[in-house]
């Protein structure tokens, strides 16, 4: 499920794949697009929570650039534009229609009374402002077995991370067991989301942070002050608890074609970077997939693993299951699916980590320690900053959060 708190990382991956160069020695290149691509991504699930579909498109004049450090050509984030004010609906079993409403630019959410059901089929319908109409194929929601045991292990080697000083960052690896149902074909996908405490909610360069009021939702902004050096930063502590939201970017899928009915042990479903020693909440989802959804994701996974040398076949745009009803030749990226979900919300205390520091997330993200503003005659009271909600931040305690700071 693509939640509204997450930018569609899969969509960026799709761009990286079909715009990849095939060369042994990396080089810098700029390519200009000549057309716009619509990008649709999201899933209907049986969780009793809002379901969100993301709808974006690329600019017709988008520039795709590579660097000396990568063989992929990716668009600038500014060239990926949210599709707003569209009419979006989901049709259940070809009969009942649910109208989705736009919660923020490019994100459309189901009504409160909607919950997907196993065995039902779902179709997505999109009508853009320009009159173009798009429909997905019907996706039938298959059942999924429950997650059994879940535990984490500290991994000092971790994963590659260009933001870390050593090029790698340690992780807490999440393992699960589950029992695959016998005598039926099953396709799986795993996703994870983590909620990390953040203690700095605003940073001002050559300026000061001001609030219009003192309530938790009061607006705050940086006020420039040319008396300060141009390189001066002041950082402001959050007034309330605040969580940064991170989501796994890897495609993790599996077919039971060779393991039908077998219990699966010690499956790694997440590698959670150790940004700090604070506890964090990890949400692990085991999802069912239709055969078509599995094949689509497998194509993307295969291309991401088999590009970058002269021996590889240059990747091509991978068309999803959403079609322009009047122009079936239009390539629409992304996939609309329906998945049953087994979810575990796991509070990870991080007592098994080594070397992590408390409230270290800000330093990791900004590569410097926070610099609080000191009290002065001119500013005898330093304001706390608002935890502004966004696709990657929330002041609302996530479900099953168990600790304070």
């Amino acid at each position: 499920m693509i939640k509204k708190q997450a930018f569609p990382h899969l969509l960026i991956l799709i761009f990286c794949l079909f715009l990849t160069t095939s060369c042994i020695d990396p080089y810098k290149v700029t390519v200009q697009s000549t057309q716009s691509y619509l990008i649709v991504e999201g899933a209907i699930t049986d969780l009793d929570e809002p379901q969100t579909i993301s709808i974006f498109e690329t600019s017709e004049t988008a520039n795709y650039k590579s660097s000396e450090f990568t063989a992929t050509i990716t668009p600038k984030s500014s060239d990926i534009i949210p599709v707003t004010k569209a009419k979006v609906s989901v049709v259940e079993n070809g009969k009942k229609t649910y109208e989705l409403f736009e919660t923020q630019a490019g994100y459309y959410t189901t009504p409160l009374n909607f919950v997907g059901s196993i065995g039902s089929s779902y179709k997505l319908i999109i009508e853009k402002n320009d009159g173009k109409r798009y429909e997905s194929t019907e996706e039938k929601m298959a059942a999924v077995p429950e997650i059994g045991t879940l535990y984490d292990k500290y991994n000092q080697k971790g994963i590659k991370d260009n933001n870390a000083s050593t090029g790698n960052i340690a992780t807490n690896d999440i393992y699960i067991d589950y029992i695959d149902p016998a005598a039926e074909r099953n396709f799986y996908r795993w996703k994870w989301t983590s909620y990390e405490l953040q203690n700095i909610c605003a940073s001002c360069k050559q300026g000061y942070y001001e609030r219009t009021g003192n309530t938790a939702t009061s607006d705050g902004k940086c006020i420039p002050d040319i008396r300060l050096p141009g390189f001066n930063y002041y950082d402001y502590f959050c007034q309330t608890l605040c969580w940064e939201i991170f989501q796994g970017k890897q495609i993790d899928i599996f077919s039971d074609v060779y393991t039908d009915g077998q219990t699966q042990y010690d499956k790694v479903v997440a590698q959670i970077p150790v940004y700090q020693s604070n506890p964090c909440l990890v949400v692990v989802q085991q999802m069912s997939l239709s055969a078509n959804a599995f094949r689509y994701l497998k194509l993307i996974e295969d291309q991401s693993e088999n590009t970058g040398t002269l021996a590889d076949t240059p990747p091509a745009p991978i068309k999803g299951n959403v079609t322009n009803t009047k122009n079936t030749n239009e390539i629409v990226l992304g996939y609309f699916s329906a998945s049953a979900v087994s979810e575990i919300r796991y509070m990870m205390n991080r007592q098994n980590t080594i070397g992590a520091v408390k409230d270290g997330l800000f330093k990791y993200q900004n590569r410097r320690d926070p610099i609080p503003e000191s009290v002065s005659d001119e500013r005898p009271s330093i304001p706390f900053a608002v935890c502004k909600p966004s696709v990657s931040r929330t002041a609302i305690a996530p479900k099953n959060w168990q600790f304070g700071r």
Side-chain angles (χ1 to χ4, degrees):
M1 176 180 62
I2 303 294
K3 296 185 178 180
K4 75 175 182 178
Q5 290 87 358
F7 188 81
H9 299 294
L10 174 60
L11 309 183
I12 296 296
L13 175 60
I14 294 169
F15 285 122
C16 297
L17 296 178
F18 79 81
L19 293 167
T20 299
T21 63
S22 293
C23 59
I24 294 176
D25 297 319
Y27 63 98
K28 295 181 179 180
V29 64
T30 299
V31 177
Q32 185 165 347
S33 173
T34 58
Q35 68 179 97
S36 173
Y37 291 94
L38 184 70
I39 318 162
V40 180
E41 188 68 27
I44 295 303
T45 78
D46 61 343
L47 294 176
D48 187 10
E49 63 183 34
Q51 317 290 312
T52 300
I53 307 299
S54 63
I55 308 173
F56 287 76
E57 60 188 350
T58 59
S59 167
E60 291 183 359
T61 58
N63 287 321
Y64 300 83
K65 294 185 177 181
S66 74
S67 74
E68 59 185 337
F69 303 107
T70 178
T72 58
I73 306 176
T74 57
K76 296 179 180 178
S77 58
S78 59
D79 286 326
I80 301 174
I81 307 163
V83 174
T84 60
K85 299 180 181 179
K87 292 178 62 178
V88 182
S89 59
V90 169
V91 181
E92 184 178 57
N93 296 323
K95 299 177 181 179
K96 190 168 184 179
T97 298
Y98 295 87
E99 301 292 337
L100 278 63
F101 56 95
E102 190 172 3
T103 50
Q104 62 187 77
Y107 293 91
Y108 296 82
T109 302
T110 54
L112 294 177
N113 64 337
F114 177 85
V115 178
S117 59
I118 294 171
S120 292
S121 296
Y122 298 91
K123 173 186 283 192
L124 178 69
I125 299 175
I126 302 167
E127 295 182 30
K128 291 176 59 183
N129 263 347
D130 60 9
K132 292 182 180 178
R133 179 183 172 94
Y134 298 84
E135 293 185 4
S136 74
T137 57
E138 281 198 331
E139 285 281 305
K140 187 174 182 179
M141 187 183 295
V144 69
E146 293 294 317
I147 297 173
T149 304
L150 183 149
Y151 62 95
D152 76 276
K153 287 183 179 180
Y154 178 66
N155 179 352
Q156 180 71 54
K157 182 178 179 181
I159 57 176
K160 291 183 179 180
D161 190 328
N162 293 332
N163 203 37
S165 59
T166 62
N168 279 65
I169 188 168
T171 57
N172 284 105
D173 296 349
I174 307 293
Y175 295 79
I176 65 167
D177 301 338
Y178 66 95
I179 301 174
D180 181 71
E184 62 181 67
R185 182 63 61 86
N186 297 102
F187 302 95
Y188 299 91
R189 184 178 188 181
W190 291 273
K191 291 185 178 182
W192 64 264
T193 303
S194 67
Y195 294 83
E196 296 273 359
L197 282 168
Q198 175 65 273
N199 68 327
I200 300 294
C201 280
S203 297
C204 294
K205 184 178 181 180
Q206 198 180 19
Y208 299 95
Y209 184 78
E210 292 283 7
R211 295 273 296 278
T212 56
N214 199 36
T215 66
T217 57
S218 298
D219 289 335
K221 61 181 179 180
C222 293
I223 306 299
D225 189 334
I226 59 174
R227 295 174 297 175
L228 294 171
F231 55 83
N232 187 86
Y233 275 99
Y234 285 135
D235 305 302
Y236 297 86
F237 292 104
C238 304
Q239 182 178 28
T240 62
L241 287 179
C242 187
W243 289 266
E244 300 278 4
I245 305 167
F246 298 90
Q247 293 200 339
K249 299 178 182 179
Q250 300 298 318
I251 296 174
D252 191 357
I253 56 176
F254 181 72
S255 167
D256 71 349
V257 62
Y258 299 116
T259 59
D260 182 53
Q262 299 178 20
T263 299
Q264 303 298 308
Y265 297 101
D266 304 319
K267 160 69 178 171
V268 180
V269 293
Q271 292 187 284
I272 312 300
V274 181
Y275 302 123
Q276 55 190 357
S277 63
N278 304 58
C280 75
L281 177 70
V282 180
V283 181
V284 174
Q285 293 182 333
Q286 179 168 277
M287 310 174 71
S288 64
L289 289 175
S290 67
N292 286 335
F294 175 83
R295 282 191 286 268
Y296 173 81
L297 291 170
K298 189 70 170 68
L299 281 172
I300 295 177
E301 182 184 53
D302 289 346
Q303 286 199 0
S304 67
E305 294 175 352
N306 296 291
T307 56
T309 73
L310 292 174
D312 294 322
T313 301
I318 301 177
K319 187 175 182 178
N321 68 334
V322 178
T323 303
N324 184 325
T325 57
K326 291 186 177 180
N327 180 13
T328 57
N329 291 323
E330 179 183 345
I331 294 175
V332 179
L333 304 177
Y335 202 94
F336 169 76
S337 60
S339 298
V341 179
S342 173
E343 179 181 273
I344 291 184
R345 290 176 168 261
Y346 176 62
M347 199 70 205
M348 191 161 61
N349 58 33
R350 285 211 169 106
Q351 292 179 358
N352 59 355
T353 60
I354 300 172
V357 297
K358 186 177 181 182
D359 295 333
L361 181 57
F362 176 87
K363 183 174 183 179
Y364 166 81
Q365 292 174 319
N366 296 274
R367 301 188 182 186
R368 63 177 178 84
D369 290 312
I371 307 170
E373 180 190 350
S374 299
V375 171
S376 64
D377 291 339
E378 186 177 348
R379 300 248 304 171
S381 178
I382 306 302
F384 287 94
V386 175
C387 178
K388 283 189 175 183
S390 70
V391 295
S392 60
R393 178 177 287 187
T394 182
I396 300 173
K399 180 182 176 183
N400 290 91
W401 182 268
Q402 297 176 6
F403 308 116
R405 184 170 292 282

